[in-house]
Amino acid sequence: MNDTLMSQIVEILTEKFEIPAEDATPQTVFDDLGVDSLALLEMSLILEKRLGISIAEGVLESGQTIQQAAGALDVLGAAA
């Protein structure tokens, strides 16, 4: 698992969506943070720019944990 990818996700959640860092643990589900599909799309666009990858629709989903999302990005070959 790429801890750096999880850190990137948490950083976006805290900076862009003003979610307290202590609420964004690896096991936290996006839905539990109030992160909806539009916010996930915005997060995908930010991650694409930061990581230089293309993230297809549905790779990040509201029912995922932060750890699962990082794993999905890792599979895409994202190197943070």
Side-chain angles (χ1 to χ4, degrees), residues 5-17 50:
L5 288 170
M6 279 194 288
S7 296
Q8 289 278 335
I9 293 169
V10 170
E11 183 179 310
I12 293 167
L13 290 170
T14 57
E15 291 178 2
K16 180 71 178 167
F17 302 108
R50 286 188 183 188

Side-chain angles (χ1 to χ4, degrees), residues 4-64:
T4 306
L5 288 170
M6 279 194 288
S7 296
Q8 289 278 335
I9 293 169
V10 170
E11 183 179 310
I12 293 167
L13 290 170
T14 57
E15 291 178 2
K16 180 71 178 167
F17 302 108
E18 299 179 355
I19 292 170
E22 60 270 11
D23 292 345
T25 68
Q27 286 72 40
T28 303
V29 176
F30 290 122
D31 271 340
D32 294 342
L33 297 172
V35 177
D36 61 12
S37 59
L38 184 58
L40 286 171
L41 176 60
E42 192 171 352
M43 184 185 302
S44 292
L45 295 173
I46 293 168
L47 286 165
E48 284 181 339
K49 287 181 182 178
R50 286 188 183 188
L51 304 174
I53 61 170
S54 179
I55 302 171
E57 186 177 331
V59 171
L60 301 181
E61 299 177 347
S62 59
Q64 286 177 316

